[in-house]
């Protein structure tokens, strides 16, 4: 999801939910926007400071910008990784 997509949906949410004036709308917009940004970024782990559990499946962004899916067999296989996320954390909540 791009920043512009989050801004558009936040704007639509705030327009639909605000009650009286822009005083109500602005906090709704900001809360939605920052909450969406937090959710997207919260699932990603820095490869320099965090190591995934063995026998889990992760999505990896490598230093060269490429994206790979791995099953973690050993904690030393993280060479060239920039950040990673557990696949289960990327699945939307029902």
């Amino acid at each position: 999801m791009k920043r512009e997509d989050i801004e558009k949906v936040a704007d639509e949410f705030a327009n639909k939910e605000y009650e009286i004036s822009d005083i109500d709308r602005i906090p709704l917009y900001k809360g939605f926007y920052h909450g969406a940004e937090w959710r997207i970024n919260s699932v990603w782990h820095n490869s320099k400071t965090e190591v995934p559990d063995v026998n889990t499946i992760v999505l990896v962004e490598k230093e060269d910008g490429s994206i790979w899916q791995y099953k973690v067999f050993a904690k030393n296989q993280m060479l060239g990784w920039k950040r990673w996320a557990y696949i289960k954390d990327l699945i939307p909540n029902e």
Side-chain angles (χ1 to χ4, degrees):
M1 180 173 271
K2 296 179 183 172
R3 183 175 302 277
E4 295 82 22
D5 297 330
I6 296 172
E7 290 172 355
K8 180 182 177 202
V9 175
D11 200 42
E12 290 170 0
F13 174 78
N15 284 336
K16 184 177 92 174
E17 296 294 330
Y18 83 98
E19 304 240 344
I20 298 170
S21 67
D22 275 350
I23 293 172
D24 292 331
R25 187 188 171 287
I26 292 168
L28 284 170
Y29 173 90
K30 287 182 177 182
F32 186 99
Y33 178 85
H34 292 295
E37 251 192 357
W38 173 85
R39 174 63 180 103
I40 291 167
N41 293 324
S42 70
V43 299
W44 289 96
H45 303 270
N46 185 327
S47 294
K48 293 181 182 9
T49 59
E50 298 177 79
V51 178
D53 296 332
V54 174
N55 292 321
T56 57
I57 299 173
V58 295
L59 193 66
V60 174
E61 180 183 3
K62 296 190 120 191
E63 295 290 342
D64 66 5
S66 62
I67 304 290
W68 295 80
Q69 177 182 318
Y70 287 99
K71 180 166 184 182
V72 180
F73 291 108
K75 295 192 184 257
N76 62 353
Q77 74 184 72
M78 296 174 55
L79 188 61
W81 291 17
K82 179 179 177 182
R83 61 185 181 161
W84 58 271
Y86 291 111
I87 295 289
K88 66 179 178 59
D89 290 343
L90 298 170
I91 307 297
N93 298 336
E94 292 187 35

